[in-house]
Structures are given as structure tokens and as C-alpha cells.
Amino acid sequence: MDDARGGYGRLVIGVVWAALLLGLWLWGREITEGRGSATPTTGDVAAVGRPASHPLPPAHGPLPDARPRGVAIESLGVRAPVVARGLDARGAVDPPPYEHPGEVAWYRGGPRPGGTGA
């Protein structure tokens, strides 16, 4: 009689595990497959939330190349002048000196923003 109860207990535990795994699989499938969204998930529409019915403004021609003058990130309150730097003794771009923590370096031997180059 002990063997019959032990077999019944294993059967119950197996059924419980099967039900648990089935429930987790169904729950996970619902999360990963989603319910079908009417909003796009790629491109500029998804990135900024622009409704697809609003057209983008017309493109304008490229600006002429210019020496970079500063970096400004208004939302973070960051404003830093850009200083032209060369290469250090090891051949790496020479950063601004530690005495000038509010400056940003720009490699003067490279192309200017808006110009031809990388």
C-alpha cells in the first residue's frame, strides 16, 4: 500500500509541475509576442513619438566646413569651449591639460565638421 501512495504522490507532483511550466510558458509567450501594437517600433516615428501623419521638414543643403567652437548640452547644463590639439609623444590625440577641466579637445589635423573626411 505504501508503494501505491508513493506513486500517487509522484503523479500529483508531476501534474503540478507540468501545470506550472505550462502557465509560465503561456505567460512568457504573451510577454514576448505582445498583443500587436498600432504604433511603429522602428525609425524616427518610434524614436521621437512623431505621428506618422506629420511629414518631416524639408532637407537643406550641407553647411560649409567650420572649426568647432564649443559643445553645449542645454538639458545637462554643459557648455565647454573646444580647443584645437595635436598629437602627444605616443601619437595619441593630446587631451586638454588637467588645469583646464572645462575644455574639450579637437584634433586639429583631422577634417573639420561639415568638411570632406571621416
Side-chain angles (χ1 to χ4, degrees), residues 15-67:
V15 169
V16 169
W17 272 108
L20 177 65
L21 291 173
L22 177 65
L24 287 172
W25 178 74
L26 290 172
W27 177 67
R29 198 175 108 200
E30 181 178 310
I31 289 173
T32 58
E33 290 179 2
R35 298 227 182 247
S37 174
T39 59
T41 56
T42 60
D44 70 302
V45 175
V48 297
R50 179 181 61 83
S53 60
H54 288 313
L56 290 173
H60 59 78
L63 299 173
D65 67 330
R67 181 188 162 297

